[in-house]
Amino acid sequence: HPPCEELLTAAEAAAALAENQALANDIEALGQDISVRVGSPCPHEQDHALIIVTYGSEAEREAIGRLLERREGFGVPVHLVRQ
């Protein structure tokens, strides 16, 4: 993910997720262990956030990557995290 100080505020990331809820739903539909949420990867910068996509397998990660390549995305950074 980008450096913490370059991330959006949590409110901006939440707005981007809300505006792109259909994309989030499509990503979550790719696998049982996939979830999409706003979160901060920076323990000391909680107001800096991005969209976090968690997944359970390499196949799920590949499916998420293929979907994001075909779609415009959220307009904010996305961080993929294996559970």
Side-chain angles (χ1 to χ4, degrees):
H1 61 81
C4 293
E5 62 274 2
E6 293 179 16
L7 296 177
L8 300 173
T9 66
E12 291 169 324
L17 180 57
E19 291 171 12
N20 295 284
Q21 190 60 52
L23 175 58
N25 293 344
D26 290 347
I27 291 171
E28 290 180 338
L30 293 172
Q32 181 176 344
D33 295 323
I34 297 174
S35 68
V36 180
R37 64 180 174 84
V38 171
S40 177
C42 312
H44 303 294
E45 305 260 351
Q46 288 299 309
D47 191 48
H48 290 89
L50 44 62
I51 294 176
I52 297 175
V53 179
T54 57
Y55 62 93
S57 69
E58 190 60 34
E60 287 179 339
R61 180 184 173 88
E62 290 171 8
I64 294 163
R66 285 192 302 272
L67 179 64
L68 289 173
E69 287 174 8
R70 292 192 316 266
R71 304 277 287 273
E72 289 186 30
F74 293 97
V76 300
V78 174
H79 187 47
L80 302 180
V81 179
R82 187 168 188 158
Q83 293 180 332

